[in-house]
Amino acid sequence: MNAYVSWFRPARARDVSVTFVHGGGGQGSEFLSTPDGRPGWVHAFLRAGFPVFVLDRPGHGRSHWREEVLGAALPPPSYEALHPRFVEPARHGGWPEAARHAQWPDHDPEAGDRFMASQGVMATTLAAAQRHVEAIGPDLFALTGRTVLVSHSAGGPCGWALAAIGGDAVAAILAVEPLGHPGLRHPLGTFADGLCAETPAGRHDPFGRPIAILTGEASWMRATNARAAAFLRERGCDVAHLLLEEHGLRGNGHMMMSEKNSDAVAALMISVLDRMLRPASAGSSGGNKRARSPDTET
């Protein structure tokens, strides 16, 4: 099974990298640039000295979906399904917090179309998506070395599953609006094993390193993320739940890496990550232990 990884290394690089794991039907390009053409989060982390790896999960972006390997895929998403939720939530009011959304780059009338053009097919179940990323996990960590996983949305469960494979190779996790909490019934599957759709294949504790969850003020993910953070705290994990409005970042929706204040969100993430990596014990498998039995393809 293949995935596509692009990487970038600053001239004076830190000894820990950052690996971006996209969500749903998205792709790694979401972190390279914004829909209105500004530099994306990759550039902010490079300026901060991190080597950066950008994963296109199996079947996404530059890793073409092959049904004979990955199984069936859902149809490509429609404008009617995604555009109101991600681009114009305040106009459509699909959830109470949607009225606060104010950060989509609407000064560029084509930004919404560019976002939609980046969205592709995805697995028919969350369990299948998890298995796909677990299959490429060992090769991914051989490439990244010790790394911080920055996951987004449906890439969140994939991030936990990767951490169970990577163990001490995963220094920290920044989970941006990760999908899932224990028992959540999603159209693509039930979260039957904590924050994953099925028990991770890796033998390490998925949550045994510093974790930060980021949630936007105008997102429908607020309750889900709060329940995920509570689950981690109950396990005794090292976790912080960052509500962006409490840090002066107002009006963000689910695609905060694409929004007008994306640079400010990245700056907050980097400052939090600096604190997470500061202790000498960073990178060790702390927290509540639960043992579990150039561009390239990996």
Side-chain angles (χ1 to χ4, degrees):
M1 187 173 295
N2 292 334
Y4 198 95
V5 179
S6 54
W7 77 83
F8 310 85
R9 185 176 181 86
R12 301 178 65 178
R14 303 196 194 198
D15 61 1
V16 60
S17 69
V18 167
T19 301
F20 287 98
V21 183
H22 66 82
Q27 55 182 292
S29 63
E30 295 168 356
F31 303 107
L32 290 169
S33 63
T34 65
D36 60 333
R38 290 172 290 115
W41 282 356
V42 164
H43 301 270
F45 280 83
L46 283 170
R47 288 193 298 269
F50 292 98
V52 173
F53 295 81
V54 182
L55 172 66
D56 284 329
R57 295 192 283 114
H60 298 267
R62 292 164 292 183
S63 178
H64 185 68
W65 192 280
R66 293 193 295 161
E67 189 167 332
E68 67 273 20
V69 176
L70 301 173
L74 293 173
S78 67
Y79 266 74
E80 293 75 16
L82 294 193
H83 204 271
R85 179 171 286 264
F86 295 106
V87 178
E88 298 179 320
R91 177 181 174 187
H92 295 274
W95 56 93
E97 297 87 353
R100 302 172 188 164
H101 188 249
Q103 290 292 349
W104 185 260
D106 51 10
H107 59 276
D108 183 344
E110 295 183 352
D113 290 343
R114 295 191 192 101
F115 162 72
M116 288 299 305
S118 72
Q119 300 303 298
V121 301
M122 56 189 295
T124 57
T125 67
L126 294 170
Q130 179 179 323
R131 290 194 299 269
H132 296 163
V133 81
E134 286 173 333
I136 59 97
D139 287 341
L140 177 66
F141 290 118
L143 185 64
T144 66
R146 184 165 173 261
T147 195
V148 175
L149 296 178
V150 179
S151 63
H152 175 244
S153 192
C158 294
W160 311 126
L162 283 171
I165 291 172
D168 286 349
V170 180
I173 297 176
L174 292 174
V176 180
E177 301 217 339
L179 176 64
H181 61 72
L184 174 66
R185 295 184 180 274
H186 185 274
L188 301 186
T190 299
F191 280 76
D193 191 77
L195 302 184
C196 290
E198 64 178 17
T199 301
R203 63 184 180 86
H204 302 283
D205 180 0
F207 315 117
R209 70 270 307 141
I211 296 168
I213 295 174
L214 280 77
T215 307
E217 181 183 31
S219 174
W220 72 90
M221 296 286 284
R222 291 173 70 85
T224 290
N225 288 174
R227 292 177 70 170
F231 165 77
L232 294 171
R233 292 191 192 102
E234 288 168 2
R235 290 173 54 93
C237 299
D238 180 359
V239 59
H241 185 195
L242 306 178
L243 300 176
L244 294 192
E245 70 274 13
E246 294 181 355
H247 298 268
L249 301 172
R250 311 303 299 260
N252 283 101
H254 189 55
M255 294 297 295
M256 59 185 73
M257 76 287 292
S258 300
E259 296 187 322
K260 288 186 285 190
N261 63 348
S262 59
D263 281 347
V265 177
L268 172 63
M269 295 167 67
I270 291 166
S271 68
V272 169
L273 183 55
D274 283 339
R275 293 196 295 270
M276 294 166 77
L277 296 177
R278 192 171 297 145
S281 60
S284 65
S285 291
N288 184 28
K289 304 294 189 294
R290 178 173 62 163
R292 290 193 180 274
S293 309
D295 292 355
T296 187
E297 289 193 356
T298 182

